[in-house]
Amino acid sequence: MSRLSVNTVKSVKSTLNKLDSHSAYVQIAVGGGTGFLVGYVFFKVSKVLAICIGSAILTLEVAVETGLIQIDWTKVTNQQNERTPPIVRQMAVSPFTPMDYAIDVDKAKQIILSSARLSIAILGGFLLGFGFS
């Protein structure tokens, strides 16, 4: 695990430990506010990304249709298969080995279960932020 992710996990754990000492109302308020903010920002960013990607796809299609761009798809796929090592093709199908995935799920489960009230409040706030954006 990289040093950044270790520091991130430590800071999240210390923050959750500090919030555990506060009342349930403070935990719910902090979790709901955090979730609302994350949900709102996530939805806004995803809308902008969807607009950008959709616009790029439509622009490319119009350019192909008008003849400004000509794409030889057989050449593209052949070059991709030649240049892509087999391990990368395998990772594209399954980037996680089952053991790595299980370890990450266990860590996430530990963090969530250590402060269930806060986690549920974050989820509720996330859904509210997602809905209000």
Side-chain angles (χ1 to χ4, degrees):
M1 195 180 329
S2 70
R3 183 176 184 143
L4 177 66
S5 62
V6 169
N7 290 337
T8 304
V9 170
K10 286 182 181 179
S11 68
V12 168
K13 283 184 179 180
S14 69
T15 303
L16 289 177
N17 288 338
K18 290 175 187 174
L19 282 173
D20 281 342
S21 63
H22 288 29
S23 72
Y25 298 111
V26 171
Q27 291 179 18
I28 291 170
V30 169
T34 303
F36 183 86
L37 210 63
V38 170
Y40 188 82
V41 169
F42 179 76
F43 190 73
K44 289 295 183 182
V45 168
S46 66
K47 283 171 75 173
V48 169
L49 283 175
I51 290 169
C52 290
I53 292 170
S55 299
I57 290 171
L58 290 177
T59 303
L60 183 64
E61 283 298 315
V62 169
V64 167
E65 199 59 38
T66 58
L68 293 173
I69 299 174
Q70 293 179 350
I71 301 173
D72 184 6
W73 288 109
T74 56
K75 185 176 179 182
V76 171
T77 55
N78 288 341
Q79 285 181 351
Q80 180 183 5
N81 289 335
E82 289 172 4
R83 294 182 181 170
T84 308
I87 188 70
V88 174
R89 281 188 232 128
Q90 180 186 0
M91 288 175 64
V93 173
S94 174
F96 297 109
T97 60
M99 191 52 138
D100 291 340
Y101 181 71
I103 291 170
D104 291 341
V105 169
D106 288 339
K107 287 180 184 176
K109 204 183 287 187
Q110 281 179 335
I111 290 173
I112 290 170
L113 291 178
S114 68
S115 182
R117 184 181 297 122
L118 182 65
S119 299
I120 291 172
I122 289 174
L123 176 64
F126 176 82
L127 293 174
L128 282 174
F130 200 80
F132 278 112
S133 62

